[in-house]
Amino acid sequence: MTTVISPSLARRSRLQAAWLASVMLVFTVLAFPAHAQDSAFDGKVAVITGSSYGLGRELALLGASEGMKLVLVDRRPEASEALAEQIRSQGGEAVFVEVDLAQAEQRPRVIEEAMEAFGGIDYLFNNAGYSYLATLEQMDMEQAKDMFEVNYWAYADLAQRVIPVMRKQGGGTILNVSSILGMSAAPPGLGHYAGNKHALHGLFQSAAQELKVDNIKVFIAAPAGMRTKISQHSVGPLANPENDRAADWEDPAIAARDIFDNIQGDKVIFNPGYIGRQ
């Protein structure tokens, strides 16, 4: 059976569809500017280390979209300075602090300059890190120690320095980026990298219990492989910057979104990205 629709009815249907589409467009346009204002993160101050590339950059972009005031920290200034300028040009607030986290004497500047810029710190995203690739037999002690300074001691140092700030404010959040290799055995050559990730789990699981009384929440995010510059920035006898082993890994923006979702909960250790969905 064939249904015949009159021209006037068809025209009226098209007009109704066009009206509905225009209404939806208005609501969409109005909703986006209000998004940050409705966010739990709006107006909060966040320090993000390792902000130039990969997950750190995605955390910064997401934080800016949520209305956060950002302190970007990296030892490579160009990319983070450009990112801070991009955020400011779009109406956000961001400053950049150039610090080599392997140098203990430089680390106090992170907290000091954040306080100078914004007067408080609500979130510390300990994210900076790189990989030293070597077997135990190949280990160069100085290179191994340098990696631990960035990947472990800087996390502990910045967390310790931000605790009094957060306690005085009545609370805060410390998020530490680990790896699935901090929860499992690592392949050959990645033992040093996995070692510092296991160390983060040991320290910050205890810290999460210690700081509950101060309303300071502590999290450990353990993602799997993400598309970052970890290959290009790797060092050690097994490093091969020409072989980008991360090229086909997961988009770090996915892990960043999962991190923002999870730090609103209470689970101390979580796996952002596809590894957490298996």
Side-chain angles (χ1 to χ4, degrees), residues 204-226:
F204 285 106
Q205 284 182 88
S206 290
Q209 300 173 65
E210 296 161 1
L211 296 172
K212 277 183 179 179
V213 67
D214 298 303
N215 193 34
I216 299 174
K217 301 175 76 173
V218 178
F219 297 96
I220 304 162
M226 295 176 290

Side-chain angles (χ1 to χ4, degrees), residues 188-245:
L190 280 165
H192 303 284
Y193 180 78
N196 71 245
K197 298 304 185 182
H198 277 273
L200 289 177
H201 282 250
L203 176 65
F204 285 106
Q205 284 182 88
S206 290
Q209 300 173 65
E210 296 161 1
L211 296 172
K212 277 183 179 179
V213 67
D214 298 303
N215 193 34
I216 299 174
K217 301 175 76 173
V218 178
F219 297 96
I220 304 162
M226 295 176 290
R227 289 199 302 272
T228 68
K229 290 190 176 290
I230 192 167
S231 294
Q232 294 93 321
H233 296 161
S234 293
V235 299
L238 299 180
N240 181 8
E242 300 302 319
N243 177 26
D244 186 1
R245 65 185 190 276

